[in-house]
């Protein structure tokens, strides 16, 4: 009985593991991220995918008018017009270019990664990933917190739910995580319904708001008089609006997710992965249409909320705090319509985290495992969902589920990513020798850098949170890479014709390789190396030897495909040459492949490296070299547990 119970528990554990890591092996082979390339049957028209990114972008209407009113007061409509101008003539052109340059969902991070190599490039990407994580993670927690605010402030539920904001927010985040654990195939269809209903209800609220503004004599003139008395003239108003603009940056939040969901956009039948013209065209339509819709709503909602809602209602604890349009819906359309509006807002804010979660599931697995800075399970969707959900729990608890408290961190993440995108497209335009676009994008980049700097200066909590994400990502990444230092990193190995011929010659006898660090590669070098290896290891003269040479290309890379070239030097010495990020890993992969192809156990011969062992390990960890012989042996030991089948390593 005990054996049966143990067997049942083991079976359940195996089934759970299979469910948790479902699709991992196929995903590793096909593409680097869970959403890097949607299957053809899951691709959708651009306008449907727009609703997926619109969950993030359009849902900001739930709190943006209130944030604008708090930041700019009576000047809120003017400051919002500045935001719209920056959106249409700054962020939109930038991301239309990003969509063309990076059509597989990587965004501007991939564009900048291509400009930098080695460790500085990796660390730069990790820093940007930290800010991307800030943006996407706060999207989840802030949207859930605002959904909770709409729920708690509903007149029918207020007394029962007051004081339970954190618990309700945690439940909403858990439900969102549950959707991704179950599967995300139907998310776009649900997103279309949520966005259509939400925008339709907002149209009703806006029309009603304008009716009451126009039917109330003196409202507009009183606002204009108060604005003039407070700021003097139009020039002063615009100046103050420009200074206030960074606080309204949440209204730009949808562009990065708009690019992140590009793989879900249906392309043309003749599209290829190298040139997905139809997908790019659809993405640009998506970005433009979403920006135009949002711009209209931002201007109209900021106008009616500023004129119709008392200033004190926007303050913390006020009835319009974080829910200005819901306040108007209840005030002018009754509690029944207001409750329907609340329900729609709660639904879209709750599900707004879906586009952010999809963005992270696309970005993080693209980079971290490839850098050796995350375990292989990070390429699977469900484990990543669990980790991200737990982080969202922590952020919610730290911020006490407050919308206002998370605004600074959110704006910082949004602005850093848009600034990096503006810089990336400026460099791309310059590389393409497009002078006009280069100047235009450079000006846009300067505007966003100024906005980012101002936002950080006024709300340093945002960059502090971003720095925490960056520190966590870098620390965990480096520890993971250290832990995986002796892991076999080669994903595939390819032989050219000459190398294939060399290997075939050893199907009936063991291949003996001399590990050689190439210098001048002249005749004397190979003669002396061969003589020394024979003497040190007492190899008979009749046993022929093949040289193997590894050139380190980019030591900061972790996983790569290995190409082996064969050549005959000085008419007598056969040499296998490879390029890799790590000498020991390349040699271990070559030995195991030769064993599997020939059925013979190959031998490799090394010289001991002089120097401090710890310093040599650091050389290996950072530069892919160091003490090659023992590391090669350790990589082989981890890759092949059976000592009897393990290739032989000799050191003299």
């Amino acid at each position: 009985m005990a054996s049966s119970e143990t067997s049942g528990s083991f079976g359940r554990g195996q089934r759970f593991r299979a469910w948790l890591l479902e699709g991992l092996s196929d995903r590793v082979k096909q593409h680097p991220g869970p959403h890097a390339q949607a299957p053809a049957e899951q691709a959708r028209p651009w306008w449907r995918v727009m609703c997926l990114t619109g969950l993030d972008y359009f849902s900001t209407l739930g709190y943006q008018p209130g944030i604008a009113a708090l930041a700019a007061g009576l000047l809120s409509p003017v400051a919002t017009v500045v935001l719209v101008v920056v959106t249409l003539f700054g962020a939109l052109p930038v991301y239309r270019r990003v969509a063309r340059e990076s059509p597989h969902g990587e965004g501007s991070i991939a564009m900048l990664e291509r400009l930098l190599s080695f460790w500085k490039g990796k660390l730069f990407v990790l820093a940007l990933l930290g800010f991307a994580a800030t943006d996407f993670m706060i999207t989840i927690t802030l949207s859930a917190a605002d959904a909770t605010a709409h729920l708690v402030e509903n007149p029918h539920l207020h007394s029962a739910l007051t004081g339970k904001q954190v618990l309700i927010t945690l439940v909403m985040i858990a439900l969102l995580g549950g959707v991704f654990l179950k599967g995300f195939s139907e998310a776009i269809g649900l997103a279309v319904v949520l966005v259509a209903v939400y925008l339709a209800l907002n149209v009703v609220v806006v029309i009603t708001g304008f009716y009451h503004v126009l039917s109330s004599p003196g409202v507009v003139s009183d606002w204009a008089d108060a604005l003039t008395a407070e700021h003097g003239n139009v020039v002063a108003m615009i100046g103050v609006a420009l200074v206030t603009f960074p606080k309204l940056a949440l209204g730009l939040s949808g562009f990065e997710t708009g690019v992140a969901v590009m793989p879900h956009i249906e392309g043309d039948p003749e599209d290829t992965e190298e040139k997905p013209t139809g997908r790019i065209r659809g993405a640009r339509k998506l970005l433009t249409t979403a920006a135009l819709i949002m711009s209209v709503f931002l201007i109209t909602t900021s106008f009616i909320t500023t004129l119709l809602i008392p200033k004190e209602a926007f303050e913390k604890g006020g009835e319009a705090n974080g829910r200005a349009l819901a306040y108007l819906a209840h005030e002018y359309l009754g509690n029944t319509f207001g409750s329907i509006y609340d329900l729609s807002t709660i639904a879209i804010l709750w599900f707004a985290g879906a586009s952010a979660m999809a963005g992270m599931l696309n970005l993080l697995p693209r980079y971290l495992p490839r850098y050796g800075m995350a375990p292989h399970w990070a390429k699977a969707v469900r484990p990543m969902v669990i980790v991200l959900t737990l982080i969202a729990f922590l952020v919610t608890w730290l911020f006490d589920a407050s919308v206002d408290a998370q605004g600074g961190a959110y704006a910082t993440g949004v602005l850093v990513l848009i600034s990096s995108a503006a810089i990336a497209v400026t460099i791309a335009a310059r590389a393409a020798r497009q002078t006009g676009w280069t100047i235009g994008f450079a000006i846009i980049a300067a505007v966003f850098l100024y906005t980012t700097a101002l936002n950080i200066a006024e709300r340093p909590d945002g960059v502090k949170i971003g720095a925490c994400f960056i520190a966590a990502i870098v620390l965990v990444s480096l520890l993971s890479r250290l832990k995986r230092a002796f892991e076999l990193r080669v994903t595939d190995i390819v032989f050219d014709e000459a190398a294939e011929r060399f290997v075939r010659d050893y199907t009936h006898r063991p291949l003996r390789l001399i590990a050689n660090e190439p210098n001048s590669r002249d005749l004397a070098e190979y003669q002396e190396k061969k003589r020394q290896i024979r003497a040190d290891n007492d190899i008979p003269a009749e046993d022929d030897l093949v040289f193997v040479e590894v050139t380190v290309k980019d030591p900061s890379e972790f996983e790569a495909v290995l190409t082996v070239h064969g050549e005959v030097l000085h008419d007598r010495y056969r040499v296998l040459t490879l390029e890799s990020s790590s000498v020991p890993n390349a040699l271990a992969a070559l030995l195991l492949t030769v064993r599997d192809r020939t059925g013979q156990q190959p031998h490799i011969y090394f010289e001991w490296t002089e120097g401090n062992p710890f310093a040599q390990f650091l050389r290996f960890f950072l530069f892919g070299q160091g003490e090659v012989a023992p590391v090669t042996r350790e990589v082989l030991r981890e890759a092949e547990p059976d000592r009897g089948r393990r290739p032989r390593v000799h050191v003299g």
Side-chain angles (χ1 to χ4, degrees):
M1 178 66 74
S3 175
S4 175
E5 289 176 358
T6 302
S7 175
S9 299
F10 180 77
R12 286 193 294 271
Q14 287 292 87
R15 286 195 297 273
F16 174 75
R17 179 180 172 81
W19 172 82
L20 191 67
L21 301 178
E22 182 181 357
L24 176 59
S25 58
D26 293 336
R27 187 167 291 115
V28 171
K29 293 176 187 175
Q30 293 169 1
H31 49 78
H35 299 278
Q37 175 59 40
E41 65 272 13
Q42 292 183 15
R44 299 288 187 274
W46 66 266
W47 59 271
R48 291 176 68 87
V49 181
M50 182 187 73
C51 293
L52 179 60
T53 186
L55 293 169
D56 175 19
Y57 198 20
F58 300 143
S59 68
T60 57
L61 290 171
Y63 46 82
Q64 178 72 12
I67 289 175
L70 277 176
L74 294 172
L75 203 60
S76 173
V78 180
T80 302
V81 169
V82 173
L83 172 65
V84 167
V85 170
V86 174
T87 297
L88 297 179
F89 298 99
L92 180 58
V94 163
Y95 277 93
R96 282 172 61 90
R97 181 65 176 252
V98 170
R100 193 180 84 184
E101 299 281 345
S102 181
H104 303 296
E106 312 101 315
S108 58
I109 295 178
M111 295 176 64
L112 291 170
E113 183 193 28
R114 291 194 289 266
L115 301 172
L116 297 169
S117 60
F118 301 100
W119 284 105
K120 61 180 179 292
K122 302 294 183 292
L123 293 174
F124 181 74
V125 168
L126 290 175
L128 286 181
L129 285 174
F131 282 111
T134 303
D135 179 11
F136 291 142
M137 187 58 65
I138 301 295
T139 296
I140 295 171
T141 58
L142 185 145
S143 297
D146 198 49
T148 299
H150 281 77
L151 190 65
V152 171
E153 293 299 327
N154 184 280
H156 302 296
L157 302 171
H158 182 70
S159 58
L161 299 180
T162 298
K164 299 181 176 64
Q165 285 89 336
V166 173
L167 177 61
I168 296 170
T169 304
L170 292 176
V171 170
M172 288 191 175
I173 293 171
L175 290 173
L176 179 67
V179 170
F180 276 85
L181 288 176
K182 186 177 186 300
F184 197 52
S185 58
E186 304 303 321
I188 292 180
L190 179 58
V192 172
V193 174
L194 289 176
V195 168
V197 171
Y198 182 67
L199 292 182
L201 292 174
N202 273 288
V203 168
V204 174
V205 174
V206 168
I207 291 173
T208 303
F210 269 99
Y211 170 78
H212 283 278
V213 167
L214 296 175
S215 62
S216 302
V219 171
V220 177
S221 58
D222 289 346
W223 169 71
D225 291 342
L227 201 58
T228 305
E230 189 172 316
H231 298 287
N233 54 56
V234 174
V235 175
M237 293 177 195
I238 294 174
V240 174
L242 289 171
V243 173
T244 308
F245 159 69
K247 297 179 180 178
L248 278 63
L250 298 184
L252 296 164
S253 66
F255 285 100
E256 197 67 32
T257 49
V259 174
V261 299
M262 273 188 71
H264 293 284
I265 297 175
E266 188 177 65
D268 295 335
E270 59 273 16
D271 276 7
T272 64
E273 278 306 291
E274 293 73 27
K275 195 174 181 181
T277 306
R279 183 197 299 169
I280 293 171
R281 185 173 60 252
R284 298 177 84 172
K285 288 179 181 178
L286 179 157
L287 293 167
T288 303
T289 305
L292 290 172
I293 292 172
M294 191 63 175
S295 295
V296 171
F297 274 110
L298 283 173
I299 292 173
T300 54
T301 55
S302 68
F303 183 75
I304 61 174
T305 53
T306 302
L307 268 64
L308 295 177
I309 300 177
K311 180 181 178 181
E312 57 273 12
F314 290 112
E315 301 293 338
K316 187 173 182 179
E319 294 180 16
N321 181 254
R323 56 187 301 277
L325 293 175
Y327 175 93
L328 293 181
H330 282 277
E331 184 73 17
Y332 294 110
L333 292 164
N335 286 336
T336 300
F337 180 89
S339 295
I340 295 172
Y341 183 87
D342 280 340
L343 184 62
S344 172
T345 306
I346 290 165
I348 196 170
L349 283 168
W350 164 69
F351 212 52
S355 58
M357 184 77 83
M360 283 190 287
L361 291 175
N362 186 34
L363 277 178
L364 296 180
R366 277 184 175 274
Y367 294 100
L368 298 186
R370 181 161 58 86
Y371 290 179
M373 295 179 172
H376 280 299
W377 57 255
K379 292 182 181 179
V381 173
R382 289 184 176 117
M384 285 294 293
V385 169
I386 293 171
V387 171
L388 295 173
T389 302
L390 292 176
I391 294 173
F393 284 170
L394 178 62
V395 172
T396 297
W397 177 68
L398 290 175
F399 282 104
D400 200 29
S402 169
V403 175
D404 297 335
Q406 296 177 74
Y410 191 18
T412 299
V414 169
L415 288 170
V416 168
L417 290 179
I418 294 180
S419 298
S420 69
I423 293 170
V425 297
T426 302
I427 296 171
R430 186 173 182 272
R433 298 183 179 180
Q434 299 170 329
T435 306
W437 281 113
T438 302
I439 295 171
F441 285 137
I443 293 171
I444 294 170
V447 169
F448 281 118
L449 287 171
Y450 152 79
T451 305
T452 304
L454 203 62
N455 182 76
I456 290 172
E458 292 188 0
R459 294 188 285 183
D461 56 316
V463 78
K464 290 176 183 176
I465 297 300
C468 289
F469 274 106
I470 293 170
I473 287 176
V474 171
L475 179 61
V476 172
S477 297
L478 291 176
L479 290 175
S480 175
R481 182 154 182 148
L482 187 63
K483 183 176 181 295
R484 299 177 66 191
F486 302 112
E487 186 178 298
L488 193 65
R489 309 176 185 180
V490 177
T491 56
D492 194 14
I493 186 165
V494 179
F495 292 81
D496 70 4
E497 186 178 347
E500 284 275 11
R501 189 168 60 253
F502 291 174
V503 172
R504 278 199 305 269
D505 287 345
Y506 291 89
T507 52
H508 301 295
R509 55 193 171 123
L511 171 64
R512 299 182 184 275
L513 293 168
I514 298 176
N516 182 51
E517 185 175 354
N519 293 309
S520 60
R521 304 191 84 199
D522 58 10
L523 180 60
E525 177 182 333
Y526 292 102
Q527 284 178 330
E528 174 58 25
K529 187 76 173 183
K530 190 172 184 178
R531 184 201 63 77
Q532 183 180 345
I533 290 296
R534 283 193 186 278
D536 289 346
N537 296 276
D538 196 23
I539 301 174
E542 62 269 17
D543 287 0
D544 59 343
L545 300 167
V546 177
F547 288 88
V548 58
E549 299 173 347
V550 181
T551 302
V552 176
K553 191 175 181 181
D554 181 355
S556 62
E557 287 291 340
F558 191 78
E559 295 179 343
V561 174
L562 202 62
T563 302
V564 184
H565 301 281
E567 55 184 319
V568 178
L569 295 182
H570 311 297
D571 297 324
R572 67 180 73 177
Y573 297 117
R574 285 183 290 182
V575 183
L576 296 174
T577 60
L578 310 88
E579 281 189 350
S580 175
S581 60
S582 168
V583 175
N585 269 272
L587 294 176
L590 176 64
L591 291 166
L592 290 168
T593 304
V594 168
R595 180 204 65 184
D596 294 340
R597 290 195 177 199
T598 65
Q600 302 285 332
Q601 281 183 299
H603 295 249
I604 189 166
Y605 299 89
F606 295 93
E607 291 180 61
W608 284 113
T609 304
E610 298 294 330
N612 181 280
F614 180 72
Q616 294 297 338
F617 173 75
L618 287 180
R619 283 189 66 210
F620 161 68
F621 183 71
L622 296 174
F623 306 114
Q625 297 173 327
E627 185 59 272
V628 175
V631 176
T632 302
R633 190 263 179 190
E634 182 60 22
V635 174
L636 286 169
R637 191 184 68 82
E638 287 205 4
E640 177 51 79
D642 185 351
R643 187 172 181 176
R645 300 190 68 243
R646 197 180 300 153
R648 302 294 190 242
V649 176
H650 309 269
V651 190

